[in-house]
Amino acid sequence: MKYRIFAAVIAVLLTFSASVSVFAREPYAGYTYDTYGDRVPAPNVFLPQKEITGYSLGIGHMSKPSDVFVDEEDNVYLMDTGNGRVIILDNKYNLKKVVDNFTLDGNPSPLKDASGIFANAGRGLIYIADKGNGRVIVTDFDGNILRSEGKPETDYLSDDIMFAPRKIVVNSIGTMYVLSDNINQGMIAIDEDGVFQGFFGAEKIQLTPVQRADLMWRKVLTKAQQSYAATIQPTEYTNIFIDNEDFIYTATALETYEKAQIKRLNPSEKNILYEDMRYGDLEGELVNGVYTVSALIDVTVDDDGFIYALDKNFGRVYMYDEESWNLGIFGKKDTVWGTFGEPIAIDNAGGNILVLDNAKASLFVFEPTEYGKYIIEAENYHYKGRYALALEPWEMVRDMNNNYEWAYAGIGRAQHMVEEYKPAMDNFRLANNRYLYSQSKKKYRTYILRKNFTAYTILFLVICIGGYIIVKKRRKIAEFIKRKINNGISDKGRFGQ
């Protein structure tokens, strides 16, 4: 009897232990890519900490949520598309307000398939891309529509093009930049007075191998045949984001573009990020038997300049620094808690990453792990010019993940900036970074030369003076040596007798 009780207790404990380990297991595995483009396992930089639903907020089910925006006070705005409402949360993710009664000139004017939102808490304004109604509206926090902008009046848009705004951002002087379906000339710029300012940041065409072959084939076609051939059009941006310096970031699906899927456009519409960079996953995967590649659906940038791109195909978030170096990858499509069904939008708030899921009708809040915090700390120190302070957190990152090449590069950069060139070279070699290694090697040679300049100068002078004396006194030196040799031979002959 005692044995049975003991066995039952052990069984319960084992079951409890197993359940705890399953609960504690992270919902996805982190990884990065090495220099050769191979996946390398890594600790997760972010993990889910909270899931927010309409039910958890006490306002009923969210229906087809499509966008999330965080204002300058870290208030969170959710575009609840199916319910035609805007849900506002405070910076603790508690419900602050629901705006669901929109009026224009005192008359009801409900939203229809609205899919983009932007807000300015200081001015008390909410900007909405009301796609189904073919308009962009500006409302107050009570739903009173203050402005309604329809299709811009311009010769650049033919009458048969439908205006279907789906995403919107607004700069510091009130100019709206709008993405619209069916329009691939770039973003539509509308100033605060509602005047059309033109198109901004039109995407350049990147030809796929099939399109290149098609262009070659067209050269042998007649003009009549060419008129029937499909024209190659620029790809529309999937999403846009504006930072606190009014630079606009754009995201383009990797399904159609091979490089520069993320851009940072300055006021001259020039991309100031590295043009040759490839974002998203470097490898495709089989999904339900179909070969699938990354498709970036949204992008956000935090106050420290870190870039986060959301992948709708794989349900992953890619983290990059200001130089577009990939620092970590997290997230996954799955049914377990903390994973995505259909990720649709991303933003950041107070160091956290927010991802809106259309299929699960949820907002997930991700917080940095200890590993992620060390990476963020090290990068921040580096870009603020406090290189010596960046060394310790990079060493912590290396100790937690000795396969992480960027940790060795980070240590090397910190050592390089404080003139420790020899150890920097060693770390750059471990990071497989030839460019940074060569930079430290050049500095190391200069450093050695400068450090030993006095000794090298004295040695040089000694060699020069000695050489001068030898050349000048070569006859006397030769006679002296000859005399010594002769004397030596004479002495040897004398002693030999």
Side-chain angles (χ1 to χ4, degrees), residues 154-336:
T154 171
D155 295 336
Y156 294 105
L157 295 176
S158 61
D159 294 337
D160 60 337
I161 292 180
M162 296 286 293
F163 184 53
R166 54 185 173 83
K167 298 297 174 185
I168 182 171
V169 296
V170 184
N171 68 12
S172 58
I173 60 173
T175 301
M176 298 186 292
Y177 296 89
V178 181
L179 285 183
S180 173
D181 289 345
N182 313 315
I183 298 175
N184 53 24
Q185 288 99 317
M187 290 160 263
I188 299 168
I190 304 172
D191 69 14
E192 197 167 22
D193 296 322
V195 179
F196 174 65
Q197 296 296 308
F199 298 101
F200 182 84
E203 183 67 285
K204 297 178 182 178
I205 296 176
Q206 289 187 25
L207 298 179
T208 65
V210 174
Q211 290 171 330
R212 293 190 187 99
D214 182 57
L215 286 179
M216 294 295 294
W217 175 248
R218 290 186 191 194
K219 293 180 179 180
V220 301
L221 298 178
T222 65
K223 290 185 178 180
Q225 290 172 326
Q226 290 179 7
S227 65
Y228 287 103
T231 58
I232 299 174
Q233 298 290 340
T235 302
E236 298 175 17
Y237 295 122
T238 54
N239 223 315
I240 49 179
F241 176 88
I242 193 165
D243 65 15
N244 52 18
E245 296 179 341
D246 283 347
F247 285 88
I248 296 179
Y249 290 77
T250 66
T252 308
L254 181 56
E255 291 171 323
T256 52
Y257 273 46
E258 296 179 353
K259 295 178 180 179
Q261 300 87 5
I262 299 174
K263 296 181 175 64
R264 188 188 188 202
L265 303 178
N266 64 15
S268 300
E269 305 180 47
K270 179 178 175 56
N271 177 28
I272 58 177
L273 293 181
Y274 186 42
E275 282 281 356
D276 203 39
M277 182 64 68
R278 182 178 177 181
Y279 297 86
D281 258 304
L282 304 183
E283 301 175 357
E285 299 177 17
L286 285 177
V287 179
N288 298 323
V290 179
Y291 182 75
T292 306
V293 297
S294 286
L296 304 185
I297 195 171
D298 200 1
V299 62
T300 187
V301 183
D302 66 18
D303 292 339
D304 293 320
F306 293 103
I307 303 169
Y308 300 86
L310 179 63
D311 186 341
K312 72 173 182 179
N313 283 353
F314 298 137
R316 295 174 186 141
V317 178
Y318 309 95
M319 178 184 180
Y320 302 93
D321 67 6
E322 295 179 14
E323 299 178 56
S324 298
W325 289 105
N326 180 230
L327 303 176
I329 301 170
F330 62 96
K332 180 183 179 181
K333 269 191 173 183
D334 207 333
T335 56
V336 301

Side-chain angles (χ1 to χ4, degrees), residues 101-142:
N101 183 24
F102 294 90
T103 60
L104 178 61
D105 298 328
N107 299 312
S109 185
L111 305 179
K112 183 180 179 182
D113 198 22
S115 58
I117 190 167
F118 189 93
N120 186 315
R123 301 179 66 185
L125 300 176
I126 301 175
Y127 302 79
I128 299 174
D130 194 4
K131 180 179 176 180
N133 287 318
R135 63 180 182 174
V136 173
I137 62 172
V138 183
T139 84
D140 61 20
F141 279 66
D142 293 320

Side-chain angles (χ1 to χ4, degrees), residues 14-28 336-337:
L14 288 174
T15 302
F16 177 77
S17 175
S19 65
V20 169
S21 63
V22 170
F23 178 77
R25 189 183 304 142
E26 295 179 354
Y28 45 78
V336 301
W337 187 88

Side-chain angles (χ1 to χ4, degrees), residues 47 67 71 89 141 148 155 178-179 185 217 221 264 267 306 314 324 329 341 344 382 387 444 452 457 475 491:
L47 284 172
D67 203 7
D71 68 18
L89 313 179
F141 279 66
S148 179
D155 295 336
V178 181
L179 285 183
Q185 288 99 317
W217 175 248
L221 298 178
R264 188 188 188 202
F306 293 103
F314 298 137
S324 298
I329 301 170
I344 195 73
H382 176 81
Y387 307 111
Y444 181 63
N452 299 286
T457 301
R475 290 183 179 179
D491 292 342

Side-chain angles (χ1 to χ4, degrees), residues 301-449:
V301 183
D302 66 18
D303 292 339
D304 293 320
F306 293 103
I307 303 169
Y308 300 86
L310 179 63
D311 186 341
K312 72 173 182 179
N313 283 353
F314 298 137
R316 295 174 186 141
V317 178
Y318 309 95
M319 178 184 180
Y320 302 93
D321 67 6
E322 295 179 14
E323 299 178 56
S324 298
W325 289 105
N326 180 230
L327 303 176
I329 301 170
F330 62 96
K332 180 183 179 181
K333 269 191 173 183
D334 207 333
T335 56
V336 301
W337 187 88
T339 60
F340 307 123
E342 185 186 349
I344 195 73
I346 189 172
D347 211 329
N348 69 91
N352 295 336
I353 299 301
L354 313 182
V355 178
L356 187 63
D357 192 302
N358 185 302
K360 294 186 177 182
S362 300
L363 178 70
F364 289 96
V365 180
F366 292 80
E367 294 181 359
T369 61
E370 183 181 19
Y371 174 76
K373 288 177 181 177
Y374 281 127
I375 291 177
I376 293 170
E377 181 184 9
E379 286 277 327
N380 281 336
Y381 278 140
H382 176 81
Y383 287 109
K384 291 176 181 177
R386 306 177 72 180
Y387 307 111
L389 294 177
L391 186 59
E392 183 178 350
W394 273 130
E395 289 175 340
M396 295 298 295
V397 172
R398 177 202 58 196
D399 293 343
M400 297 174 76
N401 180 14
N402 56 19
N403 290 321
Y404 189 36
E405 291 180 343
W406 196 236
Y408 294 103
I411 294 171
R413 288 190 303 172
Q415 292 169 331
H416 178 94
M417 298 308 295
V418 296
E419 299 186 351
E420 295 179 3
Y421 302 118
K422 188 62 171 66
M425 290 164 57
D426 295 336
N427 279 295
F428 289 143
R429 184 172 61 251
L430 292 172
N432 289 314
N433 196 312
R434 295 182 179 180
Y435 173 76
L436 293 178
Y437 177 86
S438 65
Q439 295 301 306
S440 281
K441 189 174 182 179
K442 291 177 183 178
K443 290 287 187 178
Y444 181 63
R445 288 173 176 170
T446 304
Y447 169 77
I448 291 297
L449 183 62

